[in-house]
């Protein structure tokens, strides 16, 4: 604890008889007389958090119709021109068949946030 009296430095010769922890004037010159000590510890804690967002976009590729009558056969798309049908590739645009096996664009954005926390601990001990 800090000294209460401003003249403690001039009274060090009576510390053990006047200002000791069991004396009547205890607590008035504790720091100067060495009856207490103060230590301060400062700790820094750093926290890093990273957020990564990846977005993938497929490009749809439609093969142009190969026969001129596709618009007339649109009602036959699911039976004749589907992806598992024998005439796949003839009317892909009209039947809205899309192939996504083509290059995919991937975008990745990373955000890093660093937080530093300062903790100060003051410990006072009294010698009795």
């Amino acid at each position: 604890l800090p000294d209460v009296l401003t003249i403690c430095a001039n009274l060090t010769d009576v510390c053990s008889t006047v200002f000791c922890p069991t004396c009547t004037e205890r607590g008035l010159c504790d720091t100067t007389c060495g009856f207490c000590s103060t230590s301060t510890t400062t700790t820094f804690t750093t926290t890093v958090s990273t957020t990564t967002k990846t977005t993938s976009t497929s490009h749809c590729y439609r093969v142009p119709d190969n026969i001129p009558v596709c618009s007339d056969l649109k009602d036959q798309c699911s039976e004749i021109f589907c992806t598992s049908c024998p005439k796949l590739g003839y009317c892909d645009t009209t039947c809205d068949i899309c192939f996504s096996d083509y290059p995919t664009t991937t975008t990745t954005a990373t955000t890093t946030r660093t937080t530093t926390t300062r903790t100060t601990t003051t410990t006072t001990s009294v010698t009795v």
Side-chain angles (χ1 to χ4, degrees):
L1 300 174
D3 291 336
V4 176
L5 301 176
T6 57
I7 59 168
C8 289
N10 299 328
L11 302 172
T12 56
D13 56 329
V14 292
C15 283
S16 61
T17 56
V18 177
F19 302 114
C20 70
T22 57
C23 296
T24 56
E25 303 302 325
R26 66 184 167 271
L28 296 179
C29 294
D30 284 354
T31 301
T32 299
C33 292
F35 297 124
C36 69
S37 60
T38 302
S39 64
T40 302
T41 304
T42 302
T43 306
F44 291 94
T45 304
T46 302
T47 304
V48 177
S49 60
T50 302
T51 304
T52 302
K53 179 182 178 183
T54 303
T55 305
S56 296
T57 305
S58 308
H59 295 285
C60 178
Y61 180 74
R62 284 188 180 81
V63 177
D65 291 341
N66 284 323
I67 55 176
V69 293
C70 288
S71 58
D72 297 331
L73 301 172
K74 186 169 175 95
D75 59 337
Q76 301 296 312
C77 286
S78 61
E79 293 142 20
I80 299 174
F81 305 111
C82 68
T83 56
S84 60
C85 294
K87 301 297 181 186
L88 175 65
Y90 283 84
C91 295
D92 290 353
T93 300
T94 298
C95 293
D96 199 29
I97 296 173
C98 178
F99 295 96
S100 60
D101 293 338
Y102 291 89
T104 299
T105 302
T106 303
T107 305
T108 302
T110 303
T111 304
T112 302
R113 187 165 118 183
T114 303
T115 305
T116 301
T117 305
R118 176 183 173 181
T119 305
T120 302
T121 305
T122 303
T123 306
T124 303
S125 59
V126 178
T127 305
V128 180

